[in-house]
Amino acid sequence: MPSIVSSPVDRLAGACRVPGDKSISHRALILGALAVGETRISGLLEGDDVMRTAAAVRAYGATVARTGADGWRVLGRGVGGLAEPGDVLDLGNSGTGVRLLMGLAAGHPFTSVFTGDASLRRRPMARVTQPLTAMGARVVGHSGDRLPLALTGSADLVPLVYRTPVPSAQVKSAILLAALQAPGETTVIEAQPTRDHTERLLRQFGATVATVATSDGQAVTLVGQPELSPSAVVVPGDPSSAAFVAVAAAITPGSDVLIQGIGVNPRRAALFDVLTAMGAHLTLTPVAGHAHGEPIADLRIRGGELEGVDVPPERAPDMIDEYPVLAVAAAFAAGTTRMHGVAELRVKESDRLGTMARGLAACGVVVEEGRDSLTVHGRGRPQGGARIDADLDHRIAMSFLVMGLRARAPVAVAGADTIATSFPGFVDLMNRLGAGMSDAPA
Ligand code: S3P
């Protein structure tokens, strides 16, 4: 299992760009496959998760090709026009890929069989299969709702009004993708709004999607059976990838790092507010010309002292992927950081409350793991000196490599190859900024 060791350094400096947004990249490929004609995508994330979605939409009959250093082309077959895949679709580590594709598959009258790696096979799928079943799909899964899972779709789906039981953009998006094939209006009501990339892209491709505030929460309504028109999609840098670079700079005094062109959709960017509340020196400068309505900015971070904060549950959907690296920032802050209402972290690529609590403790940090909370007591520079198992979780791997940059002793991460799912080139990018990350003996 490839391991990387991250050794303490004095400062990070320089300018960089992080790879394209993972959430938007999956959606651009899927909507490209559902449009009639040619969609061009620039800035697509070429990480393993997104390449699995590209392979899957090819298996459904769309043409997907890389056209140059930064460009991809998708020739779509139209809503309802996809073909039955000839083999099992293996989505690797990607929860977003498999859940969104289940939505796409639900509106097609054939059987799709999905599987994934050991991490994805342990993740719950009922949150998606229940509403899709209510719309008319049939699903048989391992142990009920786990992968491998077979889904037989229907060309006659029924529209739905659905209140999501957990705040999840994947659930909302799967329903909206299925609803493209249902006559009339389908509405998803979210008590807590989640990232809205699907809605923005659907509008860009010509669908009618309305978002209104109601007493139950935010209601997103899609008018079914549109013809989707191909579009040019510009994928901004992934704020969830930028988060690792930002925290690395923030905990390393004397650092000065510029991350150019990242997406700062308010449903994604709450970590930057929390870091600012902790005393980090962050400046976001908007970049002119939004990519399909997604706001973009350059982020400058200078290193300094941090203080602990309380992060309330309402924050969670807007920074759900950032808690592992926030916990690392908290370990370097003076005082206690309490993260509340984060039970969803237990069903990510790993049980992130458990993996973070164990890894931080191994690095000498005092930490309390609650059922749906994590409390980190910052008491000066952590000891480090641990070897952490990434547990097939890219964000756990990157978080502990960030920890190693500034702990007293190096931190090694086993299974660091999982980083390629979302952030290919992470180690090289960090080393160009001054980090000390290298291959470790297995
Ligand atoms: C994603 C939604 C979130 C997030 C994941 C990407 C998306 O998952 O954790 O990394 O692209 O819709 P949930 O929908 O499970 O919250």
Side-chain angles (χ1 to χ4, degrees):
M1 195 159 44
S3 300
I4 306 279
V5 63
S6 176
S7 301
V9 294
D10 287 338
R11 70 188 289 263
L12 299 176
C16 63
R17 282 184 185 273
V18 294
D21 188 287
K22 181 153 72 71
S23 293
I24 298 173
S25 295
H26 285 294
R27 288 159 170 82
L29 289 169
I30 290 173
L31 289 185
L34 291 171
V36 183
E38 180 176 303
T39 286
R40 288 194 173 265
I41 309 171
S42 66
L44 187 82
L45 170 63
E46 295 181 353
D48 189 65
D49 277 14
V50 173
M51 293 300 103
R52 300 270 179 165
T53 291
V57 300
R58 265 189 212 111
Y60 281 115
T63 304
V64 183
R66 196 170 191 263
T67 53
D70 189 40
W72 285 75
R73 190 174 73 107
V74 183
L75 264 183
R77 311 223 344 183
V79 171
L82 297 178
E84 183 165 24
D87 203 347
V88 174
L89 303 173
D90 183 350
L91 272 302
N93 193 248
S94 182
T96 307
V98 80
R99 292 187 177 130
L100 266 53
L101 287 166
M102 284 183 197
L104 167 144
H108 289 84
F110 50 66
T111 298
S112 305
V113 184
F114 299 100
T115 193
D117 70 5
S119 157
L120 193 56
R121 291 197 309 271
R122 63 187 179 226
R123 297 180 69 183
M125 297 297 149
R127 51 183 56 198
V128 172
T129 57
Q130 272 167 6
L132 296 181
T133 304
M135 295 176 83
R138 285 180 293 131
V139 175
V140 183
H142 183 82
S143 302
D145 79 326
R146 304 295 146 121
L147 304 183
L149 183 153
L151 185 153
T152 305
S154 160
D156 300 309
L157 289 182
V158 290
L160 192 67
V161 175
Y162 191 74
R163 284 176 180 71
T164 52
V166 285
S168 165
Q170 294 174 358
V171 173
K172 171 178 62 179
S173 301
I175 297 169
L176 294 176
L177 289 170
L180 288 170
Q181 272 287 83
E185 295 185 348
T186 291
T187 299
V188 182
I189 302 166
E190 298 187 292
Q192 284 182 283
T194 61
R195 64 189 69 189
D196 60 355
H197 307 302
T198 304
E199 297 92 303
R200 288 176 190 245
L201 272 180
L202 278 167
R203 288 188 193 107
Q204 188 189 337
F205 278 73
T208 303
V209 184
T211 303
V212 288
T214 72
S215 53
D216 288 348
Q218 180 173 273
V220 180
T221 299
L222 173 101
V223 179
Q225 300 180 329
E227 174 145 326
L228 296 182
S229 321
S231 190
V233 182
V234 180
V235 182
D238 196 325
S240 298
S241 296
F244 297 100
V245 187
V247 169
I251 61 173
T252 312
S255 293
D256 191 352
V257 168
L258 180 69
I259 313 171
Q260 292 169 306
I262 62 167
V264 284
N265 181 316
R267 301 267 77 97
R268 295 290 301 283
L271 174 76
F272 305 129
D273 297 336
V274 172
L275 288 175
T276 302
M278 293 173 85
H281 303 288
L282 250 81
T283 336
L284 279 167
T285 309
V287 173
H290 292 179
H292 53 79
E294 293 280 355
I296 302 180
D298 292 340
L299 172 63
R300 182 178 176 197
I301 319 102
R302 279 163 296 142
E305 305 300 324
L306 300 178
E307 285 172 22
V309 283
D310 268 13
V311 188
E314 315 77 86
R315 282 283 195 197
D318 296 347
M319 51 179 289
I320 193 66
D321 292 333
E322 279 60 80
Y323 284 94
V325 79
L326 173 63
V328 170
F332 287 87
T336 298
T337 294
R338 294 184 183 82
M339 300 163 235
H340 304 280
V342 287
E344 268 295 297
L345 297 184
R346 295 205 181 275
V347 290
K348 295 295 179 187
E349 286 81 333
S350 68
D351 167 0
R352 287 182 177 160
L353 290 184
T355 40
M356 283 313 296
R358 282 193 301 279
L360 288 172
C363 291
V365 178
V366 179
V367 51
E368 293 159 51
E369 176 188 347
R371 190 187 51 82
D372 73 344
S373 66
L374 192 67
T375 303
V376 178
H377 299 281
R379 296 190 179 154
R381 216 170 147 183
Q383 190 50 45
R387 184 181 171 85
I388 309 293
D389 182 349
D391 198 15
L392 289 176
D393 189 332
H394 52 133
R395 299 201 202 281
I396 297 300
M398 288 186 277
S399 295
F400 282 102
L401 291 175
V402 169
M403 160 71 80
L405 282 174
R406 205 45 206 158
R408 291 178 193 276
V411 174
V413 173
D417 48 331
T418 185
I419 293 170
T421 60
S422 71
F423 199 155
F426 171 74
V427 167
D428 288 345
L429 182 149
M430 292 304 296
N431 285 344
R432 279 198 298 279
L433 295 174
M437 297 183 189
S438 55
D439 292 341

